[in-house]
Amino acid sequence: MKGKVFKYKDNVNTDEIIPARYLNTTNPLELAKYCMEDIDMEFVKKVKKGDIIIAGKNFGCGSSREHAPIAIKASGIFCIIASSFARIFYRNAFNIGLPVLECVCADEIDNGDILEIVLSKGLIKNLTKGKTYNALPVPDFMQGIINAGGLMEYVRKKAEK
């Protein structure tokens, strides 16, 4: 998958991803309208399906609400790459089928760069700068959850077999 980078700082919290004032809905498309609003007013106007978020340390800290990864996924983001993730956000992202990769390459990637990602290998290619980075690959069973569209769909499909 190829996409354009939206780069953010360390410690992006769930209230910055989707402000609490919009939590009166669980509709993914409604949540996507306000994604990243408090730290990037232009995000929803510029994001395209397949784009990528790059961040520093502790992405998704704050509350344990699933609204944050749901809003990001519904906005069109294909993957989030960060130096580290808050533990609950990390698991919630996979639970809803949003891939996340841990890689310390965030400092070398700029807003607007074009990346190509191979999840199964943990490979991140910066096509803009001609550099390649390695993250931990997404294990097969986690890729199964992503490919199914999230944990609930994964379990349903397993039960049908």
Side-chain angles (χ1 to χ4, degrees):
M1 181 62 85
K2 290 181 193 175
K4 180 179 70 172
V5 167
F6 287 84
K7 186 171 181 175
Y8 298 104
K9 59 187 173 75
D10 291 347
N11 300 309
V12 173
N13 67 59
T14 54
D15 208 38
E16 291 172 313
I17 296 168
I18 183 68
R21 62 187 172 274
Y22 301 118
L23 298 181
N24 55 352
T25 184
T26 57
N27 180 312
L29 296 178
E30 189 66 23
L31 292 169
K33 292 178 187 177
Y34 308 106
C35 189
M36 309 306 274
E37 180 177 280
D38 285 356
I39 60 173
D40 185 353
M41 289 295 292
E42 298 297 310
F43 176 79
V44 296
K45 295 175 189 170
K46 293 182 178 180
V47 69
K48 304 277 188 259
K49 185 176 173 87
D51 285 343
I52 299 156
I53 287 178
I54 296 285
K57 299 175 190 133
N58 202 27
F59 188 88
C61 57
S63 76
S64 61
R65 64 177 80 120
E66 283 187 336
H67 295 75
I70 289 170
I72 291 171
K73 182 179 178 185
S75 75
I77 291 294
F78 161 70
C79 182
I80 304 169
I81 301 167
S83 299
S84 65
F85 291 89
R87 183 172 178 235
I88 293 173
F89 180 91
Y90 184 87
R91 188 60 210 181
N92 282 342
F94 278 106
N95 284 349
I96 60 111
L98 176 64
V100 296
L101 292 172
E102 286 187 319
C103 184
V104 294
C105 61
D107 289 344
E108 297 183 30
I109 297 172
D110 293 318
N111 201 44
D113 284 358
I114 303 298
L115 302 184
E116 181 177 11
I117 298 173
V118 182
L119 288 176
S120 61
K121 296 181 180 178
L123 192 64
I124 303 163
K125 295 179 184 178
N126 187 328
L127 301 178
T128 304
K129 295 181 177 168
K131 292 187 175 185
T132 301
Y133 309 95
N134 291 303
L136 290 176
V138 176
D140 290 342
F141 78 96
M142 297 294 270
Q143 286 185 55
I145 292 171
I146 292 165
N147 294 338
L151 183 60
M152 295 306 290
E153 285 301 314
Y154 178 79
V155 170
R156 277 190 202 105
K157 287 178 182 177
K158 285 284 191 188
E160 291 173 358
K161 291 184 178 181

